Amino acid sequence: MGEGVEETPPAARDGAGAEVAALRARVAALESELAMARGELLRLEYVVSHDLRAPVRVISGFAQALLSDHGDGLVPDARHLAERIVANGVRMGQLIDGLLLLSRVSRSEMSVQPVDVAEMAREHFRRLVARKADRKVDLLVPETLVVEADPQLARIVLEQVLDNAWKAVAAAEGGRITIEPAGRAGGDGEGRFAIRDEGIGFDPRYAEKLYGVFQKLHRDDEFPGVGVGLAVVERILGRHGGFVHAESTPGGGARFEISFSPPEGPR
Amino acid sequence: MKLRPILLVEDNLDEAHLTKRALRKSHVLNDIVHVKDGAEALEWLEGTGAYADRDPEETPQVIVLDLKLPKVDGLEVLRKVRAKDRTRLTPVVVLTSSDAQRDMVDSYELGANSYVRKPVEFDAFAQAVAHLGLYWVLVNELPDPVRS
């Protein structure tokens, strides 16, 4: 990391040397503080998501039991109330699972190697189609598309962005999802790709909110989900030194550029 | 033929209630014995302490084991179960909230037959428990108890 620091001025300049040493000590102290804060945060995320699971399951479980065992004895209003308990238990469960996924992708060990994201995309797309066979959605993807990444984390990225594209297209009642290389021709941007959809899109004025945890740009009936997918994607790409960039116009589809490596410098 | 009981080791009474209920819905007729911590599980299995009048030769059809337990934790129970001749072949299904890889690896290494993470959504949980009951109680076969 510290290539620039190697060229320290001659020892004659004692004052500057002492200053550098002091700065280094300060940086080291801040780094260890940061590492501690990060560790604390990750542990908190983990414990919260873990210990919250049981009571949520129990709450919706008993409400569900009430409905299935005593549903006939309940007046319509009472049934409705119990159903709302169940529905909100399900939602709480999804929120917790989202938090857990976020915590897991932040903590997991990484082993970077060549991975074919095109194959991963096809696999996950088949699952999506199997779940909702009545939907008319096409996937266009090259034969292979290799990036340097951790395979498990890359798979999560592909699943999340494909899920989003699928939902966006479904909300627009059909269309196409395209995955294509996005590196500059002849540039060093290999390992970068884009996923385009012909879905409902989003308002670019709120683009930065896309990556917030539990932040959504659409109502639940337009675009279901708890709003954790892109936060997960951003965190994974950040761990690889890469980035995600989104463009869209409302109703005009969206394009997400995904890179597992740092942005190219200006040329 | 007398049905062997199912031993459910779970410290959360509400979760135990829902687990028993889901097992019943899967048409399991076996008795379900619920113990609330690892120490009680071992006493029941060995016929000691509060269970001194129980015949320890009557081994369960399956042990459904939570990992996070007061006193003696689930992995320790598993270790003891596998160390005893009487129960070393008894199926043990770990049923836990933990999705830590470590817990999963440790469980299998200590001889767990199955590892099921409790889904947070109740429907999925009920279904997982029903499958578990169906398989380990109604499908899976065990050798006759070994008289030691």
Side-chain angles (χ1 to χ4, degrees):
Chain A
M1 287 287 108
E3 279 94 347
V5 189
E6 300 300 325
E7 295 165 29
T8 344
R13 297 165 63 183
D14 272 351
E19 211 170 292
V20 168
L23 280 174
R24 276 189 181 156
R26 179 89 189 110
V27 169
L30 285 174
E31 268 176 0
S32 89
E33 231 172 85
L34 184 65
M36 260 172 62
R38 277 183 60 95
E40 201 69 16
L41 192 66
L42 294 181
R43 264 192 300 281
L44 186 71
E45 254 179 28
Y46 184 74
V47 167
V48 165
S49 39
H50 237 81
D51 294 349
L52 279 181
R53 293 173 75 91
V56 170
R57 186 167 47 237
V58 167
I59 290 168
S60 51
F62 279 117
Q64 184 78 59
L66 183 65
L67 279 168
S68 57
D69 291 3
H70 307 285
D72 295 344
L74 294 177
V75 297
D77 186 44
R79 270 195 74 87
H80 174 74
L81 297 180
E83 280 162 8
R84 294 322 300 153
I85 296 175
V86 172
N88 280 280
V90 168
R91 180 148 185 94
M92 183 78 195
Q94 290 167 345
L95 289 168
I96 291 171
D97 278 348
L99 212 52
L100 197 60
L101 180 63
L102 201 57
S103 154
R104 200 177 313 143
V105 301
S106 313
R107 287 179 295 116
S108 72
E109 278 178 23
M110 296 211 314
S111 120
V112 173
Q113 50 192 275
V115 293
D116 181 4
V117 291
E119 183 52 35
M120 288 178 174
R122 275 190 293 270
E123 250 173 58
H124 189 59
F125 190 75
R126 277 196 291 272
R127 272 200 292 273
L128 290 173
V129 172
R131 238 177 278 159
K132 286 264 158 63
D134 52 328
R135 282 213 184 133
K136 187 77 200 89
V137 181
D138 295 316
L139 175 71
L140 248 78
V141 62
E143 185 61 27
T144 58
L145 191 53
V146 176
V147 301
E148 290 282 327
D150 176 86
Q152 285 188 5
L153 293 178
R155 185 175 295 279
I156 294 174
V157 168
L158 261 293
E159 288 174 359
Q160 297 296 337
V161 293
L162 256 180
D163 281 353
N164 278 347
W166 175 272
K167 284 187 253 180
V169 169
E173 287 168 359
R176 182 187 300 162
I177 300 171
T178 310
I179 296 182
E180 58 201 4
R184 214 183 282 171
D188 52 359
E190 276 177 24
R192 179 177 310 186
F193 62 94
I195 173 165
R196 277 191 293 126
D197 67 64
E198 298 170 345
I200 53 169
F202 60 85
D203 188 336
R205 280 178 298 171
Y206 306 115
E208 60 198 68
K209 281 198 166 180
L210 282 173
Y211 308 105
V213 179
F214 301 149
Q215 291 266 17
K216 292 186 64 180
L217 298 189
H218 298 282
R219 295 193 318 266
D220 220 47
D221 54 341
E222 298 174 313
F223 196 98
V226 293
V228 81
L230 283 173
V232 165
V233 167
E234 194 187 39
R235 204 173 284 193
I236 291 175
L237 296 174
R239 288 191 68 195
H240 285 80
F243 63 89
V244 49
H245 175 74
E247 296 162 5
S248 176
T249 47
R255 180 180 183 274
F256 287 85
E257 194 166 320
I258 309 276
S259 174
F260 285 89
S261 49
E264 294 163 44
R267 35 181 69 208
Chain B
M1 197 188 85
K2 191 173 178 302
L3 294 173
R4 301 186 202 207
I6 298 168
L7 180 62
L8 172 65
V9 192
E10 166 67 75
D11 63 323
N12 182 321
L13 296 186
D14 289 331
E15 292 229 68
H17 180 114
L18 291 171
T19 306
K20 281 194 275 189
R21 188 172 175 280
L23 279 172
R24 287 273 165 262
K25 297 240 157 183
S26 74
H27 308 294
V28 164
L29 298 174
N30 309 46
D31 279 342
I32 302 170
V33 178
H34 170 219
V35 293
K36 296 166 201 68
D37 60 57
E40 193 185 349
L42 293 172
E43 283 183 358
W44 188 87
L45 284 165
E46 286 157 22
T48 55
Y51 298 98
D53 55 350
R54 203 189 82 83
D55 175 11
E57 299 299 337
E58 190 202 351
T59 54
Q61 174 78 16
V62 58
I63 301 174
V64 179
L65 183 64
D66 192 8
L67 288 186
K68 218 168 125 187
L69 293 169
K71 298 184 203 170
V72 182
D73 78 13
L75 290 175
E76 191 53 34
V77 171
L78 180 54
R79 198 189 318 270
K80 295 232 160 78
V81 162
R82 284 296 172 255
K84 275 261 184 314
D85 261 355
R86 196 187 294 131
T87 51
R88 76 189 165 85
L89 298 178
T90 301
V92 175
V93 175
V94 173
L95 182 64
T96 173
S97 282
S98 167
D99 73 335
Q101 280 294 312
R102 192 67 259 157
D103 284 339
M104 203 182 289
V105 171
D106 286 349
S107 299
Y108 280 122
E109 267 176 5
L110 288 171
N113 300 76
S114 179
Y115 188 101
V116 179
R117 188 170 74 103
K118 295 174 186 168
V120 68
E121 283 176 33
F122 177 72
D123 275 344
F125 170 76
Q127 221 171 57
V129 172
H131 284 316
L132 194 153
L134 195 67
Y135 180 76
W136 288 104
V137 179
L138 301 177
V139 177
N140 190 53
E141 292 191 34
L142 291 179
D144 290 333
V146 194
R147 290 274 157 187
S148 44

